[in-house]
Amino acid sequence: MVQAYGADTGNGSAERPQPDESRFRSLLKRTARDREIWRRGIVLALCSVVLTLVMVVHAQIPNRVGNLGSLIETFLPWIALFVPLLLLLALLRRSATALIALLLPAVVWLNMFGGLITDKSGTGGDLTVATHNVNAGNPDPAGTAQQVAGSGADVVALQELPGGQVSTYEKSLAARYPYHSVQGTVGLWSKYPLSNTRPVDIKMGWTRAMRSTVKAPQGEVAVYVAHLPSVRVKLHAGFTANQRDDSADALGEAIADEPVERVVLLGDLNGTMNDRSLNAVTSQMRSTQGAAGDGFGFSWPASFPMARIDQIMVKGVEPKSSWTLAATDSDHLPIAARVEL
């Protein structure tokens, strides 16, 4: 008699792998057998290394050709956009080398700019300041002035004031600010008395900077208002910023020679804190946005802010909070800060 023997497997459920587990194990096995996983994506890995080097040595990128270094530094935070793109390409290529290399720019970027992502604003402070490039072609100067004044600032600085509209700004701000001075195309409005007000020569041939002593209840503070020359990106000339750089040096010298211990700088500097061409100013002052701001505080262009070229900087003063105000009819966003004297 022939007798057949077979294994009793019951319903088989105890040994049958789960679908998700099977797919995961299958993926691991395929990956382990894929000898090209480390060879693929070398170009992507090199791109990650280049991004890392740009961030690490940005200060050494020469400005001799089209001010390339300053141009890169102006938009340096936006390098982060390349990280998810390289991540997607690395996954599509199934490249372990590209994925590991991507850690380099991600870690360096977080080290450089991660602190700006969080909200560092605090409470307290005894003086609120605001600054705004109102745009010479602003169609509603009165509304813009009232909107900035509505921020509750004790001191307001305005730049790019056209001669024909100065009286409009003066009338719109008179009720809130009994003290003011306009020097050339920049002006300062204050709830507290002003003294020793004068223009500051920033090597432009006309007045686009000033200083004044604000006599706040907590003590005197020297307030500078500045509008540095504009910069342009041209195909044949690159990042044209030489006049801006010379003006920044002159402004830095004036602030360094300031006899008042507490100093606040308000204005459109047409450059970011990363731009080495503004070192004459940034090396001796703190950015309120960097020290006590919420986010990057980009201020230009107002329609889609990409860079913080409008600045509030302090020396001998403690920043407590810093923020961007709502858009006006200008191409810049107004910004404000609260400091402790």
Side-chain angles (χ1 to χ4, degrees):
M1 175 185 292
V2 178
Q3 189 172 7
Y5 293 89
D8 184 7
T9 61
N11 59 15
S13 59
E15 297 181 5
R16 185 180 299 124
Q18 298 299 318
D20 291 341
E21 184 181 4
S22 296
R23 284 194 291 268
F24 180 70
R25 287 181 176 178
S26 176
L27 177 62
L28 288 178
K29 290 179 180 179
R30 289 199 304 271
T31 301
R33 291 194 299 266
D34 187 357
R35 299 180 180 179
E36 297 297 317
I37 194 170
W38 297 103
R39 300 176 184 176
R40 286 194 300 266
I42 299 299
V43 173
L44 294 176
L46 289 176
C47 289
S48 293
V49 173
V50 170
L51 283 182
T52 304
L53 289 175
V54 168
M55 289 185 284
V56 171
V57 302
H58 65 86
Q60 280 69 51
I61 298 175
N63 260 343
R64 290 189 297 273
V65 180
N67 287 296
L68 179 62
S70 289
L71 177 60
I72 291 174
E73 288 168 335
T74 298
F75 300 102
L76 198 59
W78 291 94
I79 281 182
L81 293 180
F82 290 99
V83 173
L85 175 61
L86 289 175
L87 173 61
L88 176 62
L89 293 176
L91 292 174
L92 291 175
R93 287 285 292 155
R94 291 185 298 167
S95 168
T97 302
L99 286 172
I100 293 175
L102 193 57
L103 291 174
L104 292 173
V107 170
V108 171
W109 189 93
L110 286 173
N111 182 62
M112 293 179 65
F113 302 108
L116 293 174
I117 299 175
T118 59
D119 184 359
K120 300 177 294 300
S121 58
T123 58
D126 42 42
L127 184 71
T128 301
V129 297
T131 180
H132 189 27
N133 179 327
V134 296
N135 187 1
N138 193 314
D140 185 18
T144 295
Q146 292 170 2
Q147 189 170 334
V148 176
S151 66
D154 302 306
V155 176
V156 170
L158 301 181
Q159 305 90 48
E160 207 167 298
L161 294 169
Q165 297 290 350
V166 169
S167 60
T168 302
Y169 286 99
E170 290 175 330
K171 292 177 182 178
S172 300
L173 296 171
R176 291 177 182 262
Y177 303 99
Y179 308 97
H180 86 280
S181 175
V182 175
Q183 305 284 330
T185 60
V186 297
L188 184 67
W189 279 259
S190 173
K191 293 180 179 179
Y192 308 121
L194 303 176
S195 63
N196 298 322
T197 303
R198 63 177 182 270
V200 175
D201 182 11
I202 56 172
K203 312 302 182 185
M204 291 190 64
W206 71 96
T207 302
R208 286 197 4 176
M210 62 176 288
R211 66 84 61 200
S212 185
T213 301
V214 176
K215 296 184 177 181
Q218 295 76 19
E220 293 186 346
V221 55
V223 177
Y224 282 74
V225 184
H227 182 195
L228 298 188
S230 299
V231 296
R232 298 287 186 271
V233 180
K234 301 178 181 179
L235 291 178
H236 66 282
F239 192 58
T240 57
N242 293 336
Q243 189 179 21
R244 191 271 321 259
D245 300 347
D246 293 339
S247 291
D249 291 341
L251 178 62
E253 291 177 8
I255 294 174
D257 294 336
E258 173 59 51
V260 178
E261 180 180 354
R262 292 175 288 198
V263 183
V264 174
L265 170 62
L266 307 168
D268 173 8
L269 303 190
N270 272 306
T272 68
M273 293 296 293
N274 296 316
D275 191 338
R276 95 285 299 268
S277 296
L278 300 184
N279 279 350
V281 176
T282 57
S283 62
Q284 58 179 317
M285 306 192 79
R286 298 174 68 192
S287 163
T288 58
Q289 185 68 30
D294 180 7
F296 286 93
F298 293 149
S299 63
W300 178 88
S303 57
F304 188 83
M306 297 182 64
R308 175 161 50 92
I309 63 175
D310 299 276
Q311 306 286 355
I312 299 177
M313 299 186 198
V314 298
K315 180 169 69 170
V317 174
E318 185 65 27
K320 290 297 182 181
S321 57
S322 187
W323 63 96
T324 303
L325 299 173
T328 67
D329 282 316
S330 171
D331 56 341
H332 291 245
L333 294 178
I335 60 175
R338 188 154 180 83
V339 300
E340 184 175 74
L341 300 183

